[in-house]
Amino acid sequence: MAKNHFTRKILITLALGLIVGIGFIFLREYLISTNHQALWTSIDKLLFADISAPGNKNAVGIFYIVSQIFMRLLQIVLVPLIFTSIIKAIDHIRESSLLNKLATKGIKNFVLLLTVAVILGTTVGYFGYSMGWFQLSNLESIELAQTTVNDNNPLMIVLNAFNNNFVSMLSNNGNIIAVVVFALIVGVVMQSVRDQIDILRKFINEVYIITMKLLEVVIVKFGPFAIFALLVRTLASYGTNYLQPAMVYMVLTSLTLLVLMFVVFPLIVLVRTGLSPVIFLKKMYKVIAFGFSTSSSAATLPLTQETVMHDLGVDEAIASFIVPLASAINMTGTAIMQIVATLFIASVGGYEVGLVQMISIIALVVIGSISTPAAPGAGAVLLFTIISGMGYVNPEALAAYSFIFAINRPVEMLVTAANVMDDGVSALCVAHELDMVDETLFHKGWEAQATPTPSIES
């Protein structure tokens, strides 16, 4: 109910933001065309002006202040959330482990599916980027910005991933890769001294709970107001130039997710198990629909596990390990959405994306998607992490991010549907590899359709 209420609020906010923003566009054009530029300048300074920009010392910028507070609150939780999420994900793998063999096959399967998703997302996203589908009509007026990576030896990415100052690393949002690497190291080391660090584990869990609660307050309580301010300010300041490329992003991402769900996943099931992808799709349909409607992998988990065991015929030992683990760390739909969205923002912001930048984006997306928290708007928070790590934070890029944050709800619903479907694919493939699928149960209910009707002898 709370999630549906949040969805309604976001949709209402989106509609109001577009209406009010477009109203300001007409007002601006009318005032300028009737030689009332000074009046519009006063309105702009009162509501929309960037108060940190030179020449805006006396500006108020109400909408700018609201949107910036929201962004800064997101940045507050950025490092602790990513740091604790990754450690908890590693700890979860250890706690859920039944057999080293099962864990190994499960991880290999996750890597395979995530690789397929990354290849698909990168191909589609970079094609859209290179074709100029995400660009603004007046992109020539935007000064091209370069990420820090372009100014150094590309191998500095590896060196910068290992920060030599613990305090500065955890207090700086500009080097997310270093935070991720350090979290991975801490998580692995914690496993090796598992019985000696109860206090640290409890501390990390409590920090995670606090950041998740703060994130919930920021997204659910403050988010609609901030989205309204971001949308209105973006439209009033930049006009309708962002609407067309934003809709291209939305359609392109949705189509890619549908291809993943109804073409790629069924082919993987067919090739790796030899079982009917049609039966798989029909038996997983209720899981896909539930995940789509709730937009929560965690809420869908009980239904996914029940379906995998009782409808797909996966052994309970496999299902009880693979499904929760896949639900926690295997986010193929998330990876596709984040790659396409990042390339959309890079294009709108005027950033060049070459091979080095693409590799960096993929690395951040893969690691980030593994530790995505199950919270409203988590995909938008992860996206903010990625664009911050890449340095895509000029005003145009943040304006594009605000549009994605506002219109992304339908995409995130499809993302969740793909993620929960991925859980079923993972469990079925691993179980089949270990010869632990009851194929009679898998085909139950479809024998009559598969068996030809005998002819009646006269």
Side-chain angles (χ1 to χ4, degrees), residues 123-170:
T123 302
V124 172
Y126 195 78
F127 181 76
Y129 172 88
S130 61
M131 292 295 291
W133 292 349
F134 301 145
Q135 291 181 359
L136 304 180
S137 58
N138 63 340
L139 185 61
E140 295 79 9
S141 65
I142 299 176
E143 181 181 355
L144 288 180
Q146 301 291 329
T147 61
T148 305
V149 176
N150 289 339
D151 299 328
N152 301 303
N153 188 311
L155 293 178
M156 284 299 295
I157 297 175
V158 178
L159 191 59
N160 290 336
F162 296 86
N163 196 298
N164 62 356
N165 190 314
F166 170 79
V167 176
S168 67
M169 176 184 59
L170 295 182

mmCIF file of all heavy atoms in Angstrom, residues 123-170:
data_model
loop_
_atom_site.group_PDB
_atom_site.id
_atom_site.type_symbol
_atom_site.label_atom_id
_atom_site.label_comp_id
_atom_site.label_asym_id
_atom_site.label_seq_id
_atom_site.Cartn_x
_atom_site.Cartn_y
_atom_site.Cartn_z
ATOM 1 N N THR A 123 25.372 -2.279 -25.687
ATOM 2 C CA THR A 123 25.144 -2.213 -27.137
ATOM 3 C C THR A 123 24.027 -1.229 -27.464
ATOM 4 O O THR A 123 24.183 -0.347 -28.319
ATOM 5 C CB THR A 123 24.800 -3.606 -27.688
ATOM 6 O OG1 THR A 123 25.870 -4.517 -27.391
ATOM 7 C CG2 THR A 123 24.587 -3.541 -29.192
ATOM 8 N N VAL A 124 22.901 -1.379 -26.796
ATOM 9 C CA VAL A 124 21.755 -0.511 -27.069
ATOM 10 C C VAL A 124 22.049 0.926 -26.640
ATOM 11 O O VAL A 124 21.793 1.884 -27.383
ATOM 12 C CB VAL A 124 20.501 -1.042 -26.354
ATOM 13 C CG1 VAL A 124 19.348 -0.049 -26.476
ATOM 14 C CG2 VAL A 124 20.097 -2.390 -26.916
ATOM 15 N N GLY A 125 22.578 1.094 -25.413
ATOM 16 C CA GLY A 125 22.838 2.436 -24.890
ATOM 17 C C GLY A 125 23.862 3.194 -25.704
ATOM 18 O O GLY A 125 23.662 4.373 -26.035
ATOM 19 N N TYR A 126 24.967 2.535 -26.059
ATOM 20 C CA TYR A 126 26.003 3.246 -26.806
ATOM 21 C C TYR A 126 25.555 3.521 -28.229
ATOM 22 O O TYR A 126 25.950 4.532 -28.828
ATOM 23 C CB TYR A 126 27.311 2.449 -26.809
ATOM 24 C CG TYR A 126 28.488 3.281 -27.236
ATOM 25 C CD1 TYR A 126 29.075 4.179 -26.336
ATOM 26 C CD2 TYR A 126 28.984 3.219 -28.525
ATOM 27 C CE1 TYR A 126 30.146 4.975 -26.719
ATOM 28 C CE2 TYR A 126 30.049 4.012 -28.917
ATOM 29 C CZ TYR A 126 30.624 4.886 -28.012
ATOM 30 O OH TYR A 126 31.678 5.682 -28.396
ATOM 31 N N PHE A 127 24.726 2.629 -28.781
ATOM 32 C CA PHE A 127 24.177 2.897 -30.115
ATOM 33 C C PHE A 127 23.316 4.155 -30.086
ATOM 34 O O PHE A 127 23.434 5.024 -30.963
ATOM 35 C CB PHE A 127 23.352 1.699 -30.590
ATOM 36 C CG PHE A 127 22.774 1.873 -31.969
ATOM 37 C CD1 PHE A 127 23.573 1.751 -33.094
ATOM 38 C CD2 PHE A 127 21.427 2.167 -32.145
ATOM 39 C CE1 PHE A 127 23.051 1.913 -34.372
ATOM 40 C CE2 PHE A 127 20.882 2.335 -33.409
ATOM 41 C CZ PHE A 127 21.707 2.206 -34.526
ATOM 42 N N GLY A 128 22.449 4.267 -29.062
ATOM 43 C CA GLY A 128 21.633 5.468 -28.915
ATOM 44 C C GLY A 128 22.479 6.707 -28.698
ATOM 45 O O GLY A 128 22.203 7.774 -29.260
ATOM 46 N N TYR A 129 23.545 6.565 -27.900
ATOM 47 C CA TYR A 129 24.457 7.688 -27.647
ATOM 48 C C TYR A 129 25.169 8.116 -28.931
ATOM 49 O O TYR A 129 25.207 9.307 -29.266
ATOM 50 C CB TYR A 129 25.476 7.286 -26.581
ATOM 51 C CG TYR A 129 26.596 8.284 -26.368
ATOM 52 C CD1 TYR A 129 26.451 9.331 -25.469
ATOM 53 C CD2 TYR A 129 27.789 8.172 -27.066
ATOM 54 C CE1 TYR A 129 27.473 10.254 -25.269
ATOM 55 C CE2 TYR A 129 28.821 9.087 -26.878
ATOM 56 C CZ TYR A 129 28.656 10.119 -25.987
ATOM 57 O OH TYR A 129 29.664 11.027 -25.796
ATOM 58 N N SER A 130 25.727 7.147 -29.667
ATOM 59 C CA SER A 130 26.494 7.478 -30.866
ATOM 60 C C SER A 130 25.616 7.996 -32.000
ATOM 61 O O SER A 130 26.073 8.779 -32.835
ATOM 62 C CB SER A 130 27.278 6.247 -31.342
ATOM 63 O OG SER A 130 26.395 5.185 -31.660
ATOM 64 N N MET A 131 24.347 7.572 -32.016
ATOM 65 C CA MET A 131 23.419 8.050 -33.039
ATOM 66 C C MET A 131 22.869 9.437 -32.715
ATOM 67 O O MET A 131 22.176 10.038 -33.541
ATOM 68 C CB MET A 131 22.256 7.065 -33.203
ATOM 69 C CG MET A 131 22.649 5.720 -33.790
ATOM 70 S SD MET A 131 23.248 5.835 -35.497
ATOM 71 C CE MET A 131 21.726 6.273 -36.333
ATOM 72 N N GLY A 132 23.152 9.940 -31.524
ATOM 73 C CA GLY A 132 22.684 11.264 -31.147
ATOM 74 C C GLY A 132 21.235 11.310 -30.714
ATOM 75 O O GLY A 132 20.631 12.386 -30.651
ATOM 76 N N TRP A 133 20.648 10.146 -30.379
ATOM 77 C CA TRP A 133 19.236 10.116 -29.983
ATOM 78 C C TRP A 133 18.992 10.816 -28.655
ATOM 79 O O TRP A 133 17.891 11.270 -28.386
ATOM 80 C CB TRP A 133 18.744 8.672 -29.897
ATOM 81 C CG TRP A 133 18.684 7.982 -31.220
ATOM 82 C CD1 TRP A 133 18.813 8.557 -32.459
ATOM 83 C CD2 TRP A 133 18.492 6.584 -31.453
ATOM 84 N NE1 TRP A 133 18.710 7.617 -33.448
ATOM 85 C CE2 TRP A 133 18.505 6.381 -32.859
ATOM 86 C CE3 TRP A 133 18.297 5.487 -30.626
ATOM 87 C CZ2 TRP A 133 18.343 5.130 -33.431
ATOM 88 C CZ3 TRP A 133 18.135 4.235 -31.194
ATOM 89 C CH2 TRP A 133 18.156 4.058 -32.574
ATOM 90 N N PHE A 134 20.023 10.886 -27.810
ATOM 91 C CA PHE A 134 19.867 11.489 -26.487
ATOM 92 C C PHE A 134 20.211 12.970 -26.472
ATOM 93 O O PHE A 134 20.083 13.633 -25.437
ATOM 94 C CB PHE A 134 20.765 10.784 -25.467
ATOM 95 C CG PHE A 134 20.500 9.314 -25.321
ATOM 96 C CD1 PHE A 134 21.544 8.431 -25.079
ATOM 97 C CD2 PHE A 134 19.220 8.809 -25.422
ATOM 98 C CE1 PHE A 134 21.296 7.072 -24.934
ATOM 99 C CE2 PHE A 134 18.971 7.454 -25.283
ATOM 100 C CZ PHE A 134 20.018 6.580 -25.037
ATOM 101 N N GLN A 135 20.685 13.503 -27.575
ATOM 102 C CA GLN A 135 21.202 14.861 -27.584
ATOM 103 C C GLN A 135 20.088 15.890 -27.639
ATOM 104 O O GLN A 135 19.003 15.635 -28.157
ATOM 105 C CB GLN A 135 22.150 15.071 -28.761
ATOM 106 C CG GLN A 135 23.446 14.296 -28.628
ATOM 107 C CD GLN A 135 24.389 14.542 -29.786
ATOM 108 O OE1 GLN A 135 24.057 15.291 -30.703
ATOM 109 N NE2 GLN A 135 25.546 13.921 -29.751
ATOM 110 N N LEU A 136 20.419 17.064 -27.123
ATOM 111 C CA LEU A 136 19.504 18.198 -27.195
ATOM 112 C C LEU A 136 19.626 18.868 -28.555
ATOM 113 O O LEU A 136 20.648 18.775 -29.232
ATOM 114 C CB LEU A 136 19.835 19.217 -26.106
ATOM 115 C CG LEU A 136 19.857 18.710 -24.666
ATOM 116 C CD1 LEU A 136 20.203 19.839 -23.735
ATOM 117 C CD2 LEU A 136 18.516 18.123 -24.303
ATOM 118 N N SER A 137 18.586 19.578 -28.911
ATOM 119 C CA SER A 137 18.612 20.280 -30.194
ATOM 120 C C SER A 137 19.657 21.393 -30.208
ATOM 121 O O SER A 137 20.165 21.749 -31.248
ATOM 122 C CB SER A 137 17.224 20.866 -30.491
ATOM 123 O OG SER A 137 16.829 21.755 -29.448
ATOM 124 N N ASN A 138 19.970 21.928 -29.030
ATOM 125 C CA ASN A 138 20.956 23.019 -28.953
ATOM 126 C C ASN A 138 22.220 22.567 -28.246
ATOM 127 O O ASN A 138 22.846 23.317 -27.517
ATOM 128 C CB ASN A 138 20.359 24.231 -28.227
ATOM 129 C CG ASN A 138 20.010 23.915 -26.777
ATOM 130 O OD1 ASN A 138 19.860 22.757 -26.406
ATOM 131 N ND2 ASN A 138 19.883 24.959 -25.971
ATOM 132 N N LEU A 139 22.623 21.304 -28.455
ATOM 133 C CA LEU A 139 23.788 20.782 -27.767
ATOM 134 C C LEU A 139 25.057 21.549 -28.128
ATOM 135 O O LEU A 139 25.998 21.617 -27.344
ATOM 136 C CB LEU A 139 23.968 19.294 -28.115
ATOM 137 C CG LEU A 139 25.087 18.544 -27.382
ATOM 138 C CD1 LEU A 139 24.833 18.554 -25.890
ATOM 139 C CD2 LEU A 139 25.202 17.122 -27.896
ATOM 140 N N GLU A 140 25.068 22.145 -29.330
ATOM 141 C CA GLU A 140 26.266 22.876 -29.733
ATOM 142 C C GLU A 140 26.579 24.028 -28.795
ATOM 143 O O GLU A 140 27.720 24.463 -28.670
ATOM 144 C CB GLU A 140 26.087 23.419 -31.153
ATOM 145 C CG GLU A 140 25.975 22.349 -32.240
ATOM 146 C CD GLU A 140 24.589 21.735 -32.304
ATOM 147 O OE1 GLU A 140 23.674 22.259 -31.625
ATOM 148 O OE2 GLU A 140 24.421 20.730 -33.035
ATOM 149 N N SER A 141 25.538 24.532 -28.095
ATOM 150 C CA SER A 141 25.755 25.666 -27.201
ATOM 151 C C SER A 141 26.323 25.254 -25.859
ATOM 152 O O SER A 141 26.693 26.093 -25.056
ATOM 153 C CB SER A 141 24.426 26.413 -26.974
ATOM 154 O OG SER A 141 23.507 25.575 -26.293
ATOM 155 N N ILE A 142 26.377 23.926 -25.622
ATOM 156 C CA ILE A 142 26.893 23.446 -24.345
ATOM 157 C C ILE A 142 28.377 23.156 -24.489
ATOM 158 O O ILE A 142 28.802 22.430 -25.385
ATOM 159 C CB ILE A 142 26.165 22.164 -23.905
ATOM 160 C CG1 ILE A 142 24.673 22.444 -23.737
ATOM 161 C CG2 ILE A 142 26.753 21.615 -22.618
ATOM 162 C CD1 ILE A 142 23.874 21.216 -23.396
ATOM 163 N N GLU A 143 29.159 23.723 -23.604
ATOM 164 C CA GLU A 143 30.597 23.482 -23.641
ATOM 165 C C GLU A 143 30.883 22.048 -23.210
ATOM 166 O O GLU A 143 30.437 21.590 -22.164
ATOM 167 C CB GLU A 143 31.308 24.458 -22.698
ATOM 168 C CG GLU A 143 32.816 24.282 -22.710
ATOM 169 C CD GLU A 143 33.491 25.254 -21.757
ATOM 170 O OE1 GLU A 143 32.780 26.102 -21.195
ATOM 171 O OE2 GLU A 143 34.723 25.153 -21.587
ATOM 172 N N LEU A 144 31.611 21.300 -24.053
ATOM 173 C CA LEU A 144 31.886 19.904 -23.737
ATOM 174 C C LEU A 144 32.724 19.813 -22.475
ATOM 175 O O LEU A 144 33.732 20.494 -22.325
ATOM 176 C CB LEU A 144 32.625 19.221 -24.899
ATOM 177 C CG LEU A 144 31.796 18.952 -26.156
ATOM 178 C CD1 LEU A 144 32.664 18.288 -27.205
ATOM 179 C CD2 LEU A 144 30.588 18.104 -25.835
ATOM 180 N N ALA A 145 32.296 18.941 -21.593
ATOM 181 C CA ALA A 145 33.036 18.712 -20.357
ATOM 182 C C ALA A 145 33.730 17.367 -20.447
ATOM 183 O O ALA A 145 33.240 16.440 -21.075
ATOM 184 C CB ALA A 145 32.084 18.729 -19.161
ATOM 185 N N GLN A 146 34.850 17.242 -19.808
ATOM 186 C CA GLN A 146 35.608 15.998 -19.825
ATOM 187 C C GLN A 146 35.701 15.451 -18.408
ATOM 188 O O GLN A 146 35.839 16.194 -17.445
ATOM 189 C CB GLN A 146 37.032 16.241 -20.360
ATOM 190 C CG GLN A 146 37.057 16.821 -21.760
ATOM 191 C CD GLN A 146 36.589 15.824 -22.789
ATOM 192 O OE1 GLN A 146 36.772 14.639 -22.646
ATOM 193 N NE2 GLN A 146 35.950 16.323 -23.841
ATOM 194 N N THR A 147 35.634 14.130 -18.281
ATOM 195 C CA THR A 147 35.819 13.528 -16.967
ATOM 196 C C THR A 147 37.290 13.575 -16.607
ATOM 197 O O THR A 147 38.166 13.723 -17.453
ATOM 198 C CB THR A 147 35.359 12.069 -16.979
ATOM 199 O OG1 THR A 147 36.162 11.359 -17.935
ATOM 200 C CG2 THR A 147 33.908 11.955 -17.361
ATOM 201 N N THR A 148 37.556 13.425 -15.320
ATOM 202 C CA THR A 148 38.932 13.465 -14.842
ATOM 203 C C THR A 148 39.783 12.389 -15.499
ATOM 204 O O THR A 148 40.974 12.557 -15.716
ATOM 205 C CB THR A 148 38.952 13.277 -13.312
ATOM 206 O OG1 THR A 148 38.107 14.267 -12.736
ATOM 207 C CG2 THR A 148 40.351 13.430 -12.758
ATOM 208 N N VAL A 149 39.155 11.259 -15.856
ATOM 209 C CA VAL A 149 39.888 10.152 -16.451
ATOM 210 C C VAL A 149 40.641 10.572 -17.703
ATOM 211 O O VAL A 149 41.744 10.135 -17.953
ATOM 212 C CB VAL A 149 38.912 9.000 -16.789
ATOM 213 C CG1 VAL A 149 39.639 7.879 -17.506
ATOM 214 C CG2 VAL A 149 38.266 8.489 -15.515
ATOM 215 N N ASN A 150 40.055 11.467 -18.492
ATOM 216 C CA ASN A 150 40.656 11.850 -19.764
ATOM 217 C C ASN A 150 41.960 12.615 -19.590
ATOM 218 O O ASN A 150 42.756 12.686 -20.519
ATOM 219 C CB ASN A 150 39.683 12.722 -20.569
ATOM 220 C CG ASN A 150 38.511 11.925 -21.093
ATOM 221 O OD1 ASN A 150 38.583 10.715 -21.209
ATOM 222 N ND2 ASN A 150 37.428 12.613 -21.399
ATOM 223 N N ASP A 151 42.175 13.200 -18.422
ATOM 224 C CA ASP A 151 43.353 14.037 -18.227
ATOM 225 C C ASP A 151 44.546 13.247 -17.708
ATOM 226 O O ASP A 151 45.613 13.796 -17.506
ATOM 227 C CB ASP A 151 43.027 15.163 -17.231
ATOM 228 C CG ASP A 151 41.909 16.055 -17.749
ATOM 229 O OD1 ASP A 151 41.835 16.219 -18.976
ATOM 230 O OD2 ASP A 151 41.125 16.565 -16.933
ATOM 231 N N ASN A 152 44.378 11.956 -17.443
ATOM 232 C CA ASN A 152 45.440 11.163 -16.849
ATOM 233 C C ASN A 152 45.634 9.873 -17.645
ATOM 234 O O ASN A 152 44.850 9.516 -18.523
ATOM 235 C CB ASN A 152 45.102 10.816 -15.390
ATOM 236 C CG ASN A 152 44.911 12.054 -14.547
ATOM 237 O OD1 ASN A 152 45.785 12.892 -14.447
ATOM 238 N ND2 ASN A 152 43.737 12.178 -13.934
ATOM 239 N N ASN A 153 46.683 9.169 -17.275
ATOM 240 C CA ASN A 153 46.891 7.829 -17.805
ATOM 241 C C ASN A 153 45.693 6.963 -17.438
ATOM 242 O O ASN A 153 45.267 6.953 -16.284
ATOM 243 C CB ASN A 153 48.173 7.245 -17.204
ATOM 244 C CG ASN A 153 48.563 5.929 -17.848
ATOM 245 O OD1 ASN A 153 47.743 5.028 -17.981
ATOM 246 N ND2 ASN A 153 49.821 5.824 -18.230
ATOM 247 N N PRO A 154 45.104 6.228 -18.405
ATOM 248 C CA PRO A 154 43.923 5.414 -18.095
ATOM 249 C C PRO A 154 44.139 4.439 -16.942
ATOM 250 O O PRO A 154 43.189 4.098 -16.238
ATOM 251 C CB PRO A 154 43.669 4.664 -19.413
ATOM 252 C CG PRO A 154 44.267 5.538 -20.459
ATOM 253 C CD PRO A 154 45.460 6.188 -19.820
ATOM 254 N N LEU A 155 45.397 3.995 -16.736
ATOM 255 C CA LEU A 155 45.660 3.048 -15.652
ATOM 256 C C LEU A 155 45.528 3.684 -14.275
ATOM 257 O O LEU A 155 45.544 2.985 -13.262
ATOM 258 C CB LEU A 155 47.063 2.448 -15.815
ATOM 259 C CG LEU A 155 47.252 1.540 -17.042
ATOM 260 C CD1 LEU A 155 48.685 1.047 -17.135
ATOM 261 C CD2 LEU A 155 46.287 0.365 -16.975
ATOM 262 N N MET A 156 45.375 5.022 -14.238
ATOM 263 C CA MET A 156 45.136 5.682 -12.950
ATOM 264 C C MET A 156 43.818 5.232 -12.326
ATOM 265 O O MET A 156 43.625 5.354 -11.124
ATOM 266 C CB MET A 156 45.135 7.203 -13.138
ATOM 267 C CG MET A 156 46.516 7.812 -13.310
ATOM 268 S SD MET A 156 47.588 7.550 -11.881
ATOM 269 C CE MET A 156 46.717 8.503 -10.622
ATOM 270 N N ILE A 157 42.890 4.703 -13.169
ATOM 271 C CA ILE A 157 41.642 4.165 -12.636
ATOM 272 C C ILE A 157 41.946 3.067 -11.626
ATOM 273 O O ILE A 157 41.347 2.993 -10.546
ATOM 274 C CB ILE A 157 40.759 3.604 -13.765
ATOM 275 C CG1 ILE A 157 40.360 4.719 -14.726
ATOM 276 C CG2 ILE A 157 39.526 2.904 -13.223
ATOM 277 C CD1 ILE A 157 39.588 4.225 -15.929
ATOM 278 N N VAL A 158 42.900 2.187 -11.990
ATOM 279 C CA VAL A 158 43.275 1.083 -11.096
ATOM 280 C C VAL A 158 43.933 1.620 -9.834
ATOM 281 O O VAL A 158 43.595 1.215 -8.711
ATOM 282 C CB VAL A 158 44.226 0.111 -11.831
ATOM 283 C CG1 VAL A 158 44.652 -1.020 -10.896
ATOM 284 C CG2 VAL A 158 43.557 -0.438 -13.084
ATOM 285 N N LEU A 159 44.861 2.562 -10.002
ATOM 286 C CA LEU A 159 45.574 3.096 -8.847
ATOM 287 C C LEU A 159 44.645 3.855 -7.916
ATOM 288 O O LEU A 159 44.706 3.715 -6.683
ATOM 289 C CB LEU A 159 46.704 4.014 -9.328
ATOM 290 C CG LEU A 159 47.722 4.460 -8.264
ATOM 291 C CD1 LEU A 159 48.401 3.263 -7.633
ATOM 292 C CD2 LEU A 159 48.759 5.382 -8.894
ATOM 293 N N ASN A 160 43.746 4.655 -8.479
ATOM 294 C CA ASN A 160 42.817 5.441 -7.665
ATOM 295 C C ASN A 160 41.787 4.583 -6.947
ATOM 296 O O ASN A 160 41.125 5.047 -6.015
ATOM 297 C CB ASN A 160 42.093 6.475 -8.535
ATOM 298 C CG ASN A 160 43.009 7.585 -8.995
ATOM 299 O OD1 ASN A 160 44.021 7.866 -8.358
ATOM 300 N ND2 ASN A 160 42.681 8.202 -10.119
ATOM 301 N N ALA A 161 41.639 3.335 -7.385
ATOM 302 C CA ALA A 161 40.709 2.428 -6.706
ATOM 303 C C ALA A 161 41.218 2.023 -5.331
ATOM 304 O O ALA A 161 40.454 1.504 -4.514
ATOM 305 C CB ALA A 161 40.466 1.191 -7.564
ATOM 306 N N PHE A 162 42.501 2.259 -5.077
ATOM 307 C CA PHE A 162 43.093 1.921 -3.785
ATOM 308 C C PHE A 162 43.564 3.202 -3.119
ATOM 309 O O PHE A 162 44.660 3.693 -3.374
ATOM 310 C CB PHE A 162 44.256 0.943 -3.964
ATOM 311 C CG PHE A 162 43.830 -0.385 -4.534
ATOM 312 C CD1 PHE A 162 43.732 -0.571 -5.914
ATOM 313 C CD2 PHE A 162 43.503 -1.442 -3.696
ATOM 314 C CE1 PHE A 162 43.323 -1.780 -6.441
ATOM 315 C CE2 PHE A 162 43.091 -2.659 -4.213
ATOM 316 C CZ PHE A 162 43.000 -2.821 -5.584
ATOM 317 N N ASN A 163 42.680 3.758 -2.287
ATOM 318 C CA ASN A 163 42.969 5.025 -1.616
ATOM 319 C C ASN A 163 43.875 4.778 -0.415
ATOM 320 O O ASN A 163 43.728 3.770 0.280
ATOM 321 C CB ASN A 163 41.647 5.675 -1.170
ATOM 322 C CG ASN A 163 41.814 7.142 -0.834
ATOM 323 O OD1 ASN A 163 42.545 7.492 0.069
ATOM 324 N ND2 ASN A 163 41.109 7.998 -1.564
ATOM 325 N N ASN A 164 44.803 5.715 -0.174
ATOM 326 C CA ASN A 164 45.734 5.539 0.943
ATOM 327 C C ASN A 164 45.305 6.281 2.202
ATOM 328 O O ASN A 164 46.071 6.389 3.149
ATOM 329 C CB ASN A 164 47.142 5.998 0.536
ATOM 330 C CG ASN A 164 47.188 7.475 0.166
ATOM 331 O OD1 ASN A 164 46.156 8.148 0.139
ATOM 332 N ND2 ASN A 164 48.382 7.977 -0.114
ATOM 333 N N ASN A 165 44.090 6.812 2.204
ATOM 334 C CA ASN A 165 43.605 7.539 3.377
ATOM 335 C C ASN A 165 42.170 7.117 3.664
ATOM 336 O O ASN A 165 41.249 7.477 2.923
ATOM 337 C CB ASN A 165 43.689 9.050 3.138
ATOM 338 C CG ASN A 165 43.433 9.854 4.406
ATOM 339 O OD1 ASN A 165 42.488 9.592 5.147
ATOM 340 N ND2 ASN A 165 44.288 10.840 4.656
ATOM 341 N N PHE A 166 41.997 6.356 4.711
ATOM 342 C CA PHE A 166 40.689 5.802 5.068
ATOM 343 C C PHE A 166 39.666 6.910 5.303
ATOM 344 O O PHE A 166 38.540 6.851 4.817
ATOM 345 C CB PHE A 166 40.852 4.936 6.322
ATOM 346 C CG PHE A 166 39.545 4.497 6.927
ATOM 347 C CD1 PHE A 166 38.834 3.444 6.388
ATOM 348 C CD2 PHE A 166 39.035 5.129 8.051
ATOM 349 C CE1 PHE A 166 37.634 3.030 6.938
ATOM 350 C CE2 PHE A 166 37.837 4.730 8.616
ATOM 351 C CZ PHE A 166 37.138 3.670 8.043
ATOM 352 N N VAL A 167 40.039 7.945 6.041
ATOM 353 C CA VAL A 167 39.106 9.007 6.400
ATOM 354 C C VAL A 167 38.688 9.801 5.176
ATOM 355 O O VAL A 167 37.496 10.050 4.947
ATOM 356 C CB VAL A 167 39.717 9.941 7.467
ATOM 357 C CG1 VAL A 167 38.781 11.104 7.768
ATOM 358 C CG2 VAL A 167 40.019 9.168 8.740
ATOM 359 N N SER A 168 39.654 10.212 4.342
ATOM 360 C CA SER A 168 39.320 11.015 3.165
ATOM 361 C C SER A 168 38.487 10.216 2.172
ATOM 362 O O SER A 168 37.608 10.767 1.498
ATOM 363 C CB SER A 168 40.595 11.516 2.485
ATOM 364 O OG SER A 168 41.332 10.444 1.930
ATOM 365 N N MET A 169 38.741 8.909 2.080
ATOM 366 C CA MET A 169 37.991 8.078 1.147
ATOM 367 C C MET A 169 36.513 8.014 1.541
ATOM 368 O O MET A 169 35.625 8.137 0.689
ATOM 369 C CB MET A 169 38.564 6.666 1.134
ATOM 370 C CG MET A 169 37.799 5.682 0.279
ATOM 371 S SD MET A 169 38.500 4.030 0.419
ATOM 372 C CE MET A 169 38.335 3.754 2.180
ATOM 373 N N LEU A 170 36.231 7.846 2.829
ATOM 374 C CA LEU A 170 34.858 7.734 3.292
ATOM 375 C C LEU A 170 34.171 9.090 3.427
ATOM 376 O O LEU A 170 32.980 9.145 3.729
ATOM 377 C CB LEU A 170 34.802 6.990 4.625
ATOM 378 C CG LEU A 170 35.233 5.523 4.583
ATOM 379 C CD1 LEU A 170 35.093 4.882 5.954
ATOM 380 C CD2 LEU A 170 34.431 4.737 3.555
#
